Coordinates of all heavy atoms in Angstrom, one line a residue:
E1 N 19.0 31.4 -71.8 CA 18.8 30.5 -73.0 C 19.3 29.2 -72.9 O 20.1 28.6 -73.6 CB 19.6 31.2 -74.2 CG 19.1 32.7 -74.4 CD 19.7 33.4 -75.7 OE1 20.8 32.8 -76.1 OE2 19.2 34.4 -76.1
G2 N 18.9 28.5 -71.8 CA 19.3 27.1 -71.5 C 20.6 26.9 -70.9 O 20.9 25.7 -70.7
S3 N 21.4 27.9 -70.7 CA 22.6 27.7 -70.1 C 22.7 28.3 -68.7 O 22.0 29.3 -68.5 CB 23.7 28.4 -71.0 OG 23.9 27.9 -72.2
S4 N 23.3 27.6 -67.7 CA 23.3 28.1 -66.3 C 24.7 28.7 -66.1 O 25.8 28.3 -66.5 CB 23.1 26.9 -65.4 OG 24.2 26.0 -65.5
F5 N 24.6 29.8 -65.2 CA 25.8 30.6 -64.9 C 25.9 30.7 -63.4 O 24.9 31.2 -62.7 CB 25.8 32.0 -65.4 CG 25.8 31.9 -67.0 CD1 24.7 31.9 -67.7 CD2 27.1 31.9 -67.8 CE1 24.6 31.8 -69.2 CE2 27.1 31.8 -69.1 CZ 25.9 31.8 -69.8
P6 N 27.0 30.1 -62.7 CA 27.1 30.1 -61.3 C 27.1 31.5 -60.7 O 27.8 32.4 -61.3 CB 28.4 29.2 -61.0 CG 29.2 29.4 -62.3 CD 28.1 29.5 -63.5
W7 N 26.6 31.6 -59.5 CA 26.6 32.8 -58.8 C 27.4 32.6 -57.4 O 28.3 33.3 -57.1 CB 25.3 33.3 -58.5 CG 25.3 34.7 -57.6 CD1 25.0 34.8 -56.4 CD2 25.6 35.9 -58.1 NE1 25.0 36.1 -56.0 CE2 25.4 36.8 -57.0 CE3 26.0 36.5 -59.4 CZ2 25.7 38.1 -57.1 CZ3 26.1 37.8 -59.5 CH2 26.0 38.7 -58.4
S8 N 27.1 31.5 -56.6 CA 27.7 31.2 -55.4 C 27.5 29.8 -55.0 O 26.4 29.3 -55.3 CB 27.2 32.2 -54.3 OG 25.8 32.0 -54.0
L9 N 28.5 29.3 -54.3 CA 28.2 27.8 -53.8 C 28.3 28.1 -52.3 O 29.3 28.5 -51.6 CB 29.5 27.0 -54.1 CG 29.3 25.5 -53.7 CD1 28.2 24.8 -54.4 CD2 30.7 24.8 -54.1
N10 N 27.3 27.8 -51.6 CA 26.9 27.8 -50.2 C 27.2 26.6 -49.4 O 26.3 25.6 -49.7 CB 25.5 28.5 -49.9 CG 25.3 29.8 -50.7 OD1 24.8 29.8 -51.7 ND2 25.9 30.8 -50.2
E11 N 28.2 26.5 -48.5 CA 28.5 25.3 -47.9 C 27.8 25.3 -46.6 O 27.0 26.2 -46.2 CB 30.0 25.1 -47.6 CG 30.8 25.1 -48.9 CD 32.2 25.2 -48.7 OE1 32.7 25.5 -47.5 OE2 33.0 24.7 -49.6
A12 N 27.9 24.2 -45.8 CA 27.3 24.0 -44.4 C 27.6 25.2 -43.6 O 28.8 25.6 -43.5 CB 27.7 22.8 -43.9
G13 N 26.6 25.8 -43.0 CA 26.9 27.0 -42.1 C 26.5 28.3 -42.7 O 26.4 29.4 -42.0
S14 N 26.3 28.3 -44.0 CA 26.0 29.5 -44.7 C 24.5 29.9 -44.5 O 23.7 29.1 -44.4 CB 26.2 29.3 -46.3 OG 27.5 28.9 -46.5
V15 N 24.3 31.3 -44.4 CA 23.1 31.7 -44.3 C 22.6 32.2 -45.6 O 23.2 32.6 -46.6 CB 23.1 33.1 -43.4 CG1 21.7 33.8 -43.3 CG2 23.7 32.8 -42.1
L16 N 21.2 31.8 -45.9 CA 20.5 32.0 -47.1 C 19.3 32.9 -46.8 O 18.8 33.1 -45.7 CB 20.1 30.8 -47.7 CG 21.1 29.7 -48.2 CD1 20.5 28.5 -48.8 CD2 22.0 30.4 -49.2
G17 N 18.7 33.4 -47.9 CA 17.5 34.2 -47.8 C 17.9 35.7 -47.3 O 19.1 36.1 -47.1
K18 N 16.9 36.6 -47.1 CA 17.1 37.9 -46.7 C 16.3 38.2 -45.4 O 15.2 37.8 -45.2 CB 16.5 38.8 -47.7 CG 17.2 38.6 -49.1 CD 17.0 39.7 -50.1 CE 15.4 39.9 -50.4 NZ 14.8 40.8 -49.5
L19 N 17.0 38.9 -44.6 CA 16.3 39.4 -43.4 C 15.3 40.5 -43.5 O 14.4 40.6 -42.9 CB 17.5 39.9 -42.3 CG 16.9 40.3 -40.9 CD1 16.2 39.1 -40.2 CD2 18.1 40.7 -40.0
D20 N 15.6 41.3 -44.6 CA 14.8 42.5 -44.8 C 14.0 42.2 -46.1 O 14.4 42.2 -47.2 CB 15.7 43.7 -45.1 CG 14.8 44.9 -45.4 OD1 13.7 44.9 -45.2 OD2 15.4 46.1 -45.9
P21 N 12.7 41.9 -45.9 CA 11.7 41.6 -47.0 C 11.3 42.8 -47.8 O 10.7 42.7 -48.8 CB 10.5 41.0 -46.3 CG 10.6 41.6 -44.8 CD 12.0 41.9 -44.5
T22 N 11.6 44.0 -47.3 CA 11.3 45.2 -48.0 C 12.3 45.7 -49.0 O 12.2 46.7 -49.6 CB 11.1 46.4 -47.0 OG1 12.3 46.7 -46.3 CG2 10.1 46.1 -46.0
D23 N 13.5 45.0 -49.1 CA 14.6 45.2 -50.1 C 14.0 45.2 -51.5 O 13.7 44.1 -51.9 CB 15.7 44.3 -50.0 CG 16.9 44.6 -50.8 OD1 16.8 45.5 -51.5 OD2 17.8 43.8 -50.8
K24 N 14.0 46.3 -52.2 CA 13.4 46.4 -53.5 C 14.4 46.3 -54.7 O 14.1 46.2 -55.8 CB 12.7 47.8 -53.6 CG 11.6 48.1 -52.6 CD 10.4 47.0 -52.7 CE 9.4 47.5 -51.7 NZ 8.3 46.4 -51.6
H25 N 15.7 46.1 -54.3 CA 16.7 46.1 -55.2 C 17.1 44.7 -55.6 O 18.0 44.5 -56.5 CB 17.9 46.9 -54.8 CG 17.6 48.3 -54.4 ND1 17.3 49.2 -55.5 CD2 17.5 49.0 -53.3 CE1 17.2 50.4 -54.8 NE2 17.2 50.2 -53.5
Y26 N 16.7 43.7 -54.9 CA 17.1 42.4 -55.1 C 16.4 41.7 -56.3 O 15.2 41.8 -56.4 CB 16.7 41.5 -53.9 CG 17.1 40.1 -54.0 CD1 18.5 39.6 -53.9 CD2 16.2 39.0 -54.2 CE1 18.9 38.3 -54.0 CE2 16.7 37.7 -54.2 CZ 18.0 37.4 -54.2 OH 18.3 36.1 -54.3
P27 N 17.1 41.2 -57.3 CA 16.5 40.8 -58.5 C 15.9 39.3 -58.3 O 16.5 38.3 -58.5 CB 17.7 40.6 -59.5 CG 18.9 40.4 -58.6 CD 18.7 41.1 -57.3
A28 N 14.7 39.4 -57.7 CA 14.2 38.1 -57.1 C 13.9 37.1 -58.2 O 13.9 35.8 -57.8 CB 12.9 38.4 -56.4

């Protein structure tokens, strides 16, 4: 509803994305 809620701050060196594309539980 127009408000943003932080989840994580990823600094340099952090890995993003998923290695397993078949993961069905991720709220994409």
Side-chain angles (χ1 to χ4, degrees):
E1 297 182 350
S3 299
S4 65
F5 296 88
W7 179 257
S8 65
L9 186 66
N10 303 100
E11 300 179 340
S14 300
V15 175
L16 296 178
K18 299 192 302 89
L19 182 61
D20 181 9
T22 64
D23 183 1
K24 304 300 183 183
H25 302 287
Y26 182 72

